[in-house]
Amino acid sequence: MGDKSEVWQGTLALMVLKTLESMGPQHGYGIARRIEQISGDQLSLNYGTLYPALLKLEQEGFITSEWGLSENNRRARFYRLTRTGRAQLKKEAREWEQATNILARFLSPEEQG
Amino acid sequence: MKTIRAFMARFGGLFNGRRRDWEMEQEFASHLAMQVEDNIRSGMNPEEARRVALIKAGGLSSARENYREQRGLPFFETLLQDLRYGARNLRKSPGFTAVAVITLALGIGANTAIFSIINAVLLRPLPYKDQDRLVQLWETEAAPGTYPFAGPDYLDWEKQTKTLAATSVYTWPMGVNASNSGEAQSLVLIQAETNLFSVLGVDPIVGRTFAPDESQPGKDHVVVLTYAVWQKFFGGRQDVIGQKLELDAEPYSVIGIMPRWFKFSRGEVFVPKDMSAKGMHERGSHWLLAIGRLKPEQTVTSAQAELSTIAKNLEHQYPDSNDKIGATVVSLKEQYTGDNRQELFILLGAVALVLLVACANVANLLLARATGRLREIALRAVLGASRWRIVRQLLTESILLSITGAVVGLGAAWWFVSLVQNAKTLPIPRANPIQVDVTVLLFTVLVSVFVGVLFGLAPALQASNLDLGEELKSTAQAVLSPSGWNRWFRDGLVVGEIAVSLTLLAAAGLLLRSFYNLRNAPTGFEGSHVVTFSTLLPQGKYDDLTSRRRFFDRLLEGIHSMPGVDIAAIASELPLEGGTNGYIKVDGDTDPAHRQMLVEQNYVTPDYFATLGIPFFSGSNFSPADMDREGAAEQKVEELYKQNPNLKSVPAELSSIAIINRVMAKTFWPNQDPVGKTYRNGGRTFRIIGVVGDVTVGSVRGEPMPEAYYPYTRALVGPIAFGHLLIKTHNDPTAILPSARAQLRTLDSSLALFNPRTMPEVVADSMQDETLQTWLLGSFAGLTLLLAAVGLYSVLSYLVLQRSREIGIRMALGAQRTDVLRMVMRQAGTLTALGIGLGLFGALSGARVIQSMCFGLTARDPLTFAGVVVLLAGVSLLASYVPVRRAMRVDPMVALRYE
């Protein structure tokens, strides 16, 4: 476990938004599983990281939640992307792309030489 | 947008915490359950599955904490938590809390009360429309000061001004007999140009104000009432419009009611002013007041410049009446506040000092308490509280304390303000009501938070700055011995308190002695058994000298025959209440200073001098024959003026006689006997028949002024027949008033008895300002003295407690009780001496601030300062008494076992 990276808040928010966009309404466990799977189990989300992040997104109005039943008939809270959340996702994804592009160019071997 | 939304959501998160916690637990539980199910599905046994899921979940309690923090606003939550904790703490030590809250309530309450006055008088704009464009207009004369208007001058100004959009003229407030069926009562009437209310920009709450044509005779019997008169005479009925109110026996129709807050120049009823040439009187007679409204782009300075030019032109045009008559424009706000600004700020400074001393005391208490709480604080620090967190907790507690004090103090301030509101006369000119409004409340809140930080910060910082290990290990004894810094700080506070209270005591002492001097300053009359009231004859009923004289003669006769009456008189002016005045000309006198010397005029019956015990120095009194002759002569003069308004001088056979005072004699006829000499005033020639003692006309503070007395019968000719009755009795002078009132009613039931007072009350009325100031400053000083004594007491008690072990050892080693006494007294003496020294330095260097309020002594009066030092030293001795006794009673065995 110790070798799995900690996720920081800003990135996590983006991952949550993207997950909800591609999967539709999903509960906390589902979101966590999905993010961990896509990261190839390089990331591990504990409650203390995941749930405050979900709450923050909800407070900012990017997602909403309601109680419902899971596939196994278990009561769970389902999160859903809102319209502003969708817009936010687009905006943040673009910004992230730009940032990684710049960093990638920066770190490429030609630049170093 | 995003942040606001998030804030609102988090603010909402502050509430309903239990339900939200439950939801969080549910969500965590379902997460865990799903994880366990998945783990089982992937082949783990249930126990293993659960263990792995729990590890994956991470520290659950810290997850809960993170979640809660994100849910609400941690700042507020901590605050609420601190408040709850603080409140519990304060409840646990009710004694400390009560002392601190009362101390703070006194300080904050006094500040709130004084600030509510300052707010109404200085800070709030006048409650008139565009009040910054309103100005008061005055004329100036050869003598310094501002003077009322002469009617024709006003009309010229009004016609010619281009800087003022509008002007309005009105009379001084005057008495009037008012009744609407029932007994006549006295009211204060103002005659005003019909546009007065529109110039002020105030609308009535019921009805209307004057129409422009209502100044014309026949239409002018309409009246606008203040709210209070509406309530008093008509019970606040809405159908008051069109009802009749009798003013001086003539019926007036009520046309409008002014708002409750409306106050203007003491007026209670307003009627239209006769603006005709006759109604405005001649040019030399200055008796009217005027306000104006500046045009938008004009300033007080530009209006001043323009009106000075207009006045200059009038001076050229009418050299006889307008010589040296100039103009002054003052903003109305300035007019209302000008005189009181400094006094109010001195009072505010004084209450601020009271508050400062209160803070020092509470800080002192907190320091003592914080020392006792060191172990609790150390424990919290060990459990992970940061220093800032501890300071914050302690500050929250002290602010809670100050807010509680403020709430109690507000109650006190409310009481004070209602007292001020109900005071019949208050020597504070104001258009705004004095009240606890939003501004005042805001002020109180700010002050209490500021004060809470002020007295809480030092104890909090000191308490949080501790060595954890040491504190937890230490014994109670060690905990009780504070750092040197703490000692210094607390001693410093007490020294400061003593210094501040000395300053305030000195100020209060100076005012008290000034007040005493004022009360005992010679007024030139002896009035201890004299009672006075005024009466006013309606013009319509008493329209000539004969009827008026008959009335006053019968009134005097009736009063004379009442049992207990010594002697009685009538005068047109009372001592100490100001008066009318004019300039005189003495033939052959070329001294220019004399031409600028105002001479007061008083019309009296012969017994006036005996009634008030005014001595004759030479010559003789008016005789009954003089009274008859003078009245008749004045009537002839009046007729002559009616025939020829521009009459320059009156024939010699109609000349008058006068009795003058000593100042007038010495000023105009130095080193001569003025009896038999003559002077001229307003076309008439006066021959002096006697010289009497000086009586104070205006304020006791001023120098005596020249004054001339004329036979009262002369005053009965003319538009107003008004008189002050003065009655000297053998016994209690007020006992005579009911029968005097009955006497008045038998003569004429439509007349009210105005302003009944004893002469000592007249004297007191002339010193209302000083009374209020002395009273307020005196109570502030008394308060600080008490607080300083409590402060010294607590520091010394603490010292004795701290050192009881040392004292015990010393006594066990053979020290005498006197040695212990000396030790504690040395401490008390040092603190007191330092405080007194510092206070003396401060008070002496700030003395000139109140020089103008002093009378009969300088602001560095040695006697006052000596007295204050002795008083303070005595009080601090008293404050040390209990701690000293406690120190001397220390039982060595007990003290040594204190461990």
Side-chain angles (χ1 to χ4, degrees):
Chain A
M1 281 254 188
D3 57 336
K4 291 191 177 170
S5 327
E6 284 283 324
V7 215
W8 30 287
Q9 286 272 327
T11 353
L12 179 59
L14 185 52
M15 290 182 210
V16 169
L17 291 178
K18 182 68 196 168
T19 306
L20 288 177
E21 191 200 29
S22 48
M23 294 182 70
Q26 190 54 263
H27 45 68
Y29 176 66
I31 297 170
R33 280 300 304 270
R34 169 83 177 181
I35 290 175
E36 285 165 1
Q37 277 170 4
I38 290 193
S39 74
D41 277 338
Q42 285 187 55
L43 290 177
S44 170
L45 289 175
N46 60 30
Y47 297 3
T49 314
L50 175 67
Y51 285 101
L54 285 172
L55 185 57
K56 183 162 187 284
L57 284 171
E58 191 173 4
Q59 284 166 349
E60 289 167 348
F62 299 141
I63 59 177
T64 61
S65 72
E66 58 189 0
W67 287 90
L69 286 179
S70 72
E71 8 354 328
N72 301 337
N73 261 349
R74 191 170 284 287
R75 241 171 75 80
R77 191 179 198 155
F78 281 81
Y79 295 88
R80 185 168 51 80
L81 206 56
T82 63
R83 193 130 38 95
T84 44
R86 227 171 271 281
Q88 178 73 8
L89 171 62
K90 255 188 215 145
K91 186 170 147 245
E92 271 190 38
R94 200 171 47 240
E95 283 170 7
W96 184 251
E97 218 166 290
Q98 274 173 359
T100 42
N101 274 342
I102 291 167
L103 260 185
R105 260 187 252 167
F106 219 82
L107 299 175
S108 63
E110 301 96 273
E111 289 293 317
Q112 275 179 355
Chain B
M1 185 56 206
K2 178 176 112 181
T3 36
I4 293 173
R5 184 179 183 147
F7 178 84
M8 293 309 289
R10 296 182 76 164
F11 187 76
L14 285 178
F15 308 100
N16 239 338
R18 206 165 284 174
R19 196 180 63 81
R20 285 165 202 265
D21 270 358
W22 183 78
E23 287 201 350
M24 173 184 75
E25 294 299 341
Q26 292 284 306
E27 192 166 14
F28 285 7
S30 85
H31 188 127
L32 191 72
M34 287 191 256
Q35 178 91 60
V36 171
E37 277 167 20
D38 274 3
N39 286 353
I40 288 174
R41 215 171 296 139
S42 67
M44 296 184 202
N45 67 48
E47 204 175 307
E48 174 76 357
R50 188 168 172 77
R51 200 181 63 85
V52 171
L54 276 174
I55 291 171
K56 183 107 195 345
L60 269 180
S61 63
S62 93
R64 287 192 187 101
E65 217 35 58
N66 282 351
Y67 191 83
R68 285 198 191 102
E69 228 165 77
Q70 177 63 41
R71 184 174 68 201
L73 295 160
F75 177 84
F76 283 107
E77 270 172 25
T78 316
L79 184 69
L80 282 175
Q81 190 190 335
D82 282 356
L83 280 176
R84 270 194 296 269
Y85 181 72
R88 207 163 49 229
N89 244 326
L90 294 179
R91 259 204 312 275
K92 263 196 309 200
S93 39
F96 158 81
T97 307
V99 170
V101 164
I102 290 172
T103 307
L104 289 167
L106 287 173
I108 296 176
N111 273 273
T112 303
I114 294 301
F115 182 78
S116 66
I117 297 181
I118 295 213
N119 180 45
V121 178
L122 296 183
L123 300 184
R124 282 184 53 189
L126 301 178
Y128 308 130
K129 191 168 152 256
D130 296 330
Q131 55 94 25
D132 49 334
R133 297 226 302 274
L134 286 171
V135 291
Q136 184 89 41
L137 307 174
W138 293 102
E139 289 195 310
T140 58
E141 299 195 11
T146 53
Y147 294 84
F149 270 89
D153 292 352
Y154 169 78
L155 292 177
D156 286 325
W157 287 31
E158 184 177 44
K159 212 178 303 156
Q160 292 176 36
T161 181
K162 293 194 170 53
T163 54
L164 298 172
T167 61
S168 190
V169 75
Y170 55 96
T171 61
W172 289 102
M174 46 194 173
V176 67
N177 303 288
S179 83
N180 65 333
S181 75
E183 272 200 0
Q185 298 184 50
S186 62
L187 283 183
V188 179
L189 171 117
I190 287 178
Q191 297 176 356
E193 196 171 348
T194 51
N195 65 356
L196 178 70
F197 299 103
S198 65
V199 171
L200 287 175
V202 181
D203 293 324
I205 51 167
V206 178
R208 61 178 179 91
T209 55
F210 306 126
D213 63 349
E214 278 173 341
S215 66
Q216 291 161 18
K219 296 181 179 170
D220 60 353
H221 277 41
V222 289
V223 61
V224 171
L225 310 179
T226 55
Y227 189 89
V229 170
W230 178 39
Q231 297 296 324
K232 189 168 160 193
F233 281 79
F234 297 97
R237 289 204 317 272
Q238 287 291 326
D239 63 353
V240 65
I241 303 302
Q243 302 252 10
K244 295 280 180 270
L245 181 66
E246 248 181 44
L247 298 175
D248 278 347
E250 293 197 29
Y252 281 73
S253 300
V254 176
I255 59 165
I257 311 293
M258 296 316 285
R260 190 171 199 161
W261 53 262
F262 181 77
K263 277 197 176 64
F264 186 76
S265 189
R266 290 192 10 245
E268 296 180 294
V269 287
F270 296 82
V271 299
K273 159 118 197 55
D274 177 3
M275 300 295 288
S276 68
K278 182 170 164 286
M280 295 297 273
H281 298 191
E282 70 267 35
R283 217 170 263 279
S285 156
H286 294 258
W287 62 295
L288 294 169
L289 299 167
I291 54 166
R293 183 172 276 282
L294 292 169
K295 284 184 180 167
E297 67 282 10
Q298 299 296 338
T299 63
V300 169
T301 327
S302 64
Q304 170 77 61
E306 184 206 39
L307 295 182
S308 295
T309 318
I310 296 176
K312 257 269 162 325
N313 293 339
L314 291 178
E315 223 182 316
H316 290 306
Q317 222 171 326
Y318 309 99
D320 282 350
S321 59
N322 281 38
D323 185 32
K324 298 218 167 66
I325 301 292
T328 290
V329 182
V330 189
S331 84
L332 199 59
K333 174 94 181 164
E334 177 80 24
Q335 182 70 37
Y336 275 58
T337 61
D339 290 348
N340 290 72
R341 193 174 292 265
Q342 196 198 354
E343 275 90 346
L344 284 175
F345 278 119
I346 287 175
L347 282 180
L348 189 66
V351 277
L353 288 179
V354 173
L355 188 58
L356 214 59
V357 170
C359 280
N361 251 10
V362 177
N364 231 328
L365 285 173
L366 278 178
L367 276 173
R369 220 168 90 91
T371 320
R373 281 175 68 183
L374 283 184
R375 296 192 81 158
E376 169 209 330
I377 291 162
L379 196 65
R380 297 186 50 176
V382 165
L383 291 178
S386 66
R387 181 171 185 202
W388 156 238
R389 189 69 196 74
I390 290 172
V391 169
R392 191 176 149 186
Q393 156 65 30
L394 292 174
L395 274 187
T396 307
E397 214 172 300
S398 58
I399 290 174
L400 183 67
L401 207 54
S402 68
I403 298 263
T404 314
V407 170
V408 179
L410 258 180
W414 224 298
W415 171 78
F416 173 84
V417 164
S418 70
L419 216 65
V420 168
Q421 277 170 345
N422 295 335
K424 251 167 71 191
T425 51
L426 187 76
I428 299 171
R430 63 204 198 276
N432 288 309
I434 291 174
Q435 59 187 18
V436 178
D437 60 8
V438 180
T439 320
V440 176
L441 283 178
L442 203 67
F443 169 84
T444 309
V445 169
L446 283 180
V447 164
S448 49
V449 171
F450 172 73
V451 157
V453 174
L454 189 67
F455 69 70
L457 195 58
L461 285 177
Q462 194 249 338
S464 64
N465 181 24
L466 43 80
D467 183 339
L468 290 182
E470 278 309 304
E471 288 310 329
L472 286 177
K473 268 188 286 167
S474 64
T475 61
Q477 183 59 42
V479 167
L480 270 173
S481 85
S483 62
W485 183 80
N486 184 1
R487 267 281 300 284
W488 276 105
F489 189 76
R490 301 194 58 193
D491 288 354
L493 283 179
V494 170
V495 168
E497 284 182 44
I498 294 175
V500 168
S501 69
L502 181 125
T503 311
L504 279 186
L505 279 175
L510 289 169
L511 285 196
L512 207 65
R513 297 230 318 139
S514 299
F515 190 64
Y516 179 83
N517 289 346
L518 277 175
R519 287 305 296 256
N520 291 289
T523 51
F525 66 88
E526 198 343 86
S528 57
H529 279 84
V530 179
V531 69
T532 176
F533 66 86
S534 317
T535 185
L536 170 68
L537 298 184
Q539 278 179 51
K541 235 184 200 171
Y542 302 86
D543 59 347
D544 63 350
L545 175 65
T546 327
S547 59
R548 291 170 182 180
R549 234 197 121 178
R550 191 184 315 125
F551 175 85
F552 279 118
D553 283 351
R554 283 169 62 191
L555 181 62
L556 259 190
E557 243 167 65
I559 285 172
H560 260 300
S561 65
M562 285 191 273
V565 172
D566 242 0
I567 192 166
I570 300 175
S572 65
E573 308 289 348
L574 282 181
L576 299 168
E577 307 243 294
T580 55
N581 45 41
Y583 301 97
I584 66 163
K585 278 181 197 151
V586 180
D587 285 333
D589 185 348
T590 52
D591 191 335
H594 291 172
R595 308 231 20 209
Q596 303 182 11
M597 186 77 78
L598 280 169
V599 173
E600 297 294 322
Q601 303 158 354
N602 197 353
Y603 295 85
V604 299
T605 58
D607 288 340
Y608 177 77
F609 306 103
T611 308
L612 286 182
I614 302 167
F616 265 88
F617 291 106
S618 61
S620 58
N621 201 344
F622 302 128
S623 68
D626 287 337
M627 301 308 272
D628 294 340
R629 195 193 62 247
E630 293 281 321
E634 187 64 26
Q635 204 160 29
K636 284 206 186 94
V637 171
E638 187 80 358
E639 279 159 22
L640 286 178
Y641 271 110
K642 244 177 225 161
Q643 288 158 17
N644 176 14
N646 298 320
L647 192 69
K648 283 276 182 329
S649 72
V650 174
E653 71 270 16
L654 296 181
S655 70
S656 175
I657 52 174
I659 294 172
I660 65 172
N661 71 355
R662 283 232 282 196
V663 174
M664 183 163 169
K666 279 185 191 147
T667 308
F668 294 95
W669 297 274
N671 308 319
Q672 301 171 50
D673 182 5
V675 174
K677 298 276 195 296
T678 61
Y679 63 90
R680 284 183 294 124
N681 177 8
R684 297 162 178 80
T685 304
F686 294 88
R687 186 169 53 83
I688 298 162
I689 66 163
V691 178
V692 293
D694 303 325
V695 170
T696 312
V697 173
S699 158
V700 177
R701 287 168 182 270
E703 295 288 308
M705 289 187 266
E707 181 166 21
Y709 297 90
Y710 304 117
Y712 185 63
T713 42
R714 279 200 180 256
L716 296 180
V717 181
I720 294 172
F722 183 80
H724 299 286
L725 269 291
L726 291 132
I727 307 166
K728 189 175 178 197
T729 61
H730 309 309
N731 306 314
D732 174 19
T734 51
I736 208 79
L737 280 173
S739 35
R741 194 187 298 266
Q743 179 71 34
L744 189 67
R745 296 238 189 280
T746 41
L747 286 176
D748 186 336
S749 66
S750 73
L751 299 183
L753 187 131
F754 287 80
N755 236 343
R757 288 171 297 169
T758 63
M759 283 311 281
E761 281 170 343
V762 172
V763 176
D765 282 354
S766 76
M767 297 170 189
Q768 281 181 341
D769 262 4
E770 287 87 353
T771 314
L772 187 73
Q773 284 158 8
T774 310
W775 191 80
L776 283 177
L777 211 58
S779 36
F780 296 157
L783 212 55
T784 47
L785 181 64
L786 184 73
L787 291 176
V790 170
L792 186 68
Y793 167 83
S794 73
V795 160
L796 288 179
S797 302
Y798 192 66
L799 172 94
V800 169
L801 184 63
Q802 266 172 37
R803 297 177 70 175
S804 60
R805 185 164 170 235
E806 177 199 334
I807 294 171
I809 293 174
R810 284 182 184 215
M811 286 172 74
L813 292 177
Q816 295 301 304
R817 289 189 188 275
T818 47
D819 297 329
V820 176
L821 175 76
R822 208 172 295 135
M823 180 187 102
V824 181
M825 288 312 284
R826 193 183 305 125
Q827 176 77 6
T830 314
L831 294 183
T832 309
L834 276 175
I836 287 178
L838 199 66
L840 275 179
F841 176 76
L844 286 173
S845 43
R848 73 192 153 72
V849 177
I850 64 162
Q851 180 64 67
S852 67
M853 290 159 83
C854 290
F855 178 75
L857 49 100
T858 70
R860 294 180 173 178
D861 178 54
L863 193 62
T864 308
F865 275 85
V868 165
V869 168
V870 169
L871 178 67
L872 248 181
V875 166
S876 67
L877 201 67
L878 214 61
S880 342
Y881 176 74
V882 175
V884 164
R885 274 186 51 133
R886 206 176 289 150
M888 287 171 63
R889 286 220 191 116
V890 166
D891 180 341
M893 290 319 287
V894 174
L896 289 175
R897 251 189 269 122
Y898 195 56
E899 293 283 288

